[in-house]
Amino acid sequence: MNGRSPAPALFGARIAGIGHYAPEHIVSNADLEKTLDTSDEWIVTRTGMRERRHASADMAVSDLAIRAAEQALKRGGYHATDIDCFILATVTPDFAFPATACIVASHLGATGKPAFDMEIACSGFIYGLSLAAGMIRSGVFTRMMVIGAEKLSGIMNMEDRATAILFGDGAGAAIVERSEQDSFLGCELGADGSTPETLYIPASGSRKPITAAALAAGEQYIHMQGREIFKSAVTRMVNSALVALDRAQLTPSDVRWFVPHQANKRIIDATARQLAMPPERVLMNVDRYGNTSSASIPMVMSEAVDRNLFADGDLLLLSGFGGGLSWGSVLWRWAA
Ligand code: UT7
């Protein structure tokens, strides 16, 4: 599947259940003001964020993912053994290896089922959903689970005001299954790895192992060139959305719900403006959860389902952007 959809498919794909989990502990802007040279006014004006969630020290990302997955299974009326394959998108796995998806699937009671992680940062759920749709539509699997889960509080330098205010923890999960009607109308995915240092953890892998010197320099934490990311985010998301729409022979006015990655309210507003998307069609929860990377899109979708926002036939435009750099958009026709 190269994204040049609608591609001929043997089967249709639909979302049959969606869930999310946000850790209980709320970190407000006022809390951050106590330890950082920042202010509620700066954070709200520059990001639209008012609070975010931090998971407790004894919780790993699999614990967040399992809770979101359990809600998706409950909503879909399925048991974990009904799922043929688990995909977990995350940049904060329980361990560098094995894949956290294996741990999640076993904990849910689906030992033996294929399970793997995807690491494509904030675009993780978009890539995962596209991949799952491709595998369902071509008949490889009948029912898959796509999870986006992050414990970003664990990789943030809480003394760095540029990143400590931005990121939060959470998880979202969607069950994608074979169906007569096809919800997947197309996607556009892209990546540019020429400047990985724009958003990365310097000491985290084979390029720069974690040494005592790296730890002393704080290189185990997220490093980000915020302004650079901001500029590319809007351009890339707008372009990606327009290409996906064009491939599906649709226009922004056909979209009922714009579901952007929750990176920053200003990024979302600018992207929506350039797509001529009115605010009432733009889904946002960045004020309550901050940027939860791969979890943000399934979390905002699951909250929309809680509120009964999506009606049968609604066209959803999902767009994301993040580390890699990476980006992507998916067009999804909601099936109740
Ligand atoms: O999912 C993808 C992941 N990353 C992103 O989405 C991040 C995208 N970028 C952004 O959201 C924005 O660039 C930020 C919110 C990170 C920063 O907003 P900005 O409007 O681009 O601010 P800036 O980086 O240009 O900084 C402006 C000023 C600087 O001070 P000087 O040099 O003008 O004196 C910063 O040092 O704001 C300062 N600053 C802060 N002040 C108070 C940076 N962070 C803070 C802070 N509180 N937390």
Side-chain angles (χ1 to χ4, degrees), residues 37-38 42 46-47 122 161-162 165-167 199 224 226-227 229-230 261 263-264 266-267 291 321-322:
D37 179 17
T38 191
W42 192 96
R46 302 282 181 134
T47 70
C122 306
R161 66 178 182 176
I165 59 140
L166 273 189
F167 298 101
L199 179 54
M224 181 184 76
R227 217 175 295 183
I229 304 254
F230 192 110
H261 166 49
N264 179 328
R266 281 159 61 216
I267 293 177
N291 181 345
F321 177 88

Side-chain angles (χ1 to χ4, degrees), residues 39-227:
S39 66
D40 175 58
E41 198 261 331
W42 192 96
I43 300 173
V44 172
T45 315
R46 302 282 181 134
T47 70
M49 296 170 189
R50 295 182 184 277
E51 54 190 45
R52 66 289 293 145
R53 304 293 178 96
H54 284 186
S56 54
D58 61 348
M59 281 190 112
V61 95
S62 60
D63 299 310
L64 313 185
I66 286 162
R67 284 165 174 77
E70 283 171 343
Q71 191 186 28
L73 288 167
K74 196 169 171 204
R75 279 206 177 124
Y78 290 117
H79 185 266
T81 50
D82 298 321
I83 306 294
D84 300 330
C85 178
F86 295 80
I87 302 177
L88 173 62
T90 189
V91 295
T92 50
D94 285 16
F95 309 104
F97 78 91
T100 304
C102 304
I103 298 166
V104 170
S106 274
H107 187 96
L108 291 169
T111 297
K113 295 297 176 92
F116 63 97
D117 286 2
M118 279 182 52
E119 199 278 85
I120 190 73
C122 306
S123 311
F125 187 77
I126 301 267
Y127 270 63
L129 183 61
S130 305
L131 180 61
M135 296 181 98
I136 300 279
R137 295 167 85 242
S138 59
V140 177
F141 294 119
T142 305
R143 191 171 299 112
M144 298 176 70
M145 182 174 286
V146 184
I147 307 172
E150 302 289 1
K151 187 183 177 186
L152 294 164
S153 62
I155 56 166
M156 283 181 332
N157 177 355
M158 289 310 291
E159 292 174 5
D160 172 19
R161 66 178 182 176
T163 50
I165 59 140
L166 273 189
F167 298 101
D169 304 339
I175 297 168
V176 187
E177 70 175 9
R178 186 183 290 181
S179 71
E180 265 178 41
Q181 298 287 331
D182 199 2
S183 289
F184 180 81
L185 304 188
C187 68
E188 194 278 334
L189 306 175
D192 175 358
S194 58
T195 56
E197 64 284 356
T198 320
L199 179 54
Y200 77 142
I201 300 181
S204 53
S206 57
R207 176 68 58 198
K208 191 167 211 186
I210 305 170
T211 58
L215 291 176
E219 291 181 336
Q220 72 277 34
Y221 296 125
I222 299 178
H223 287 235
M224 181 184 76
Q225 295 167 21
R227 217 175 295 183

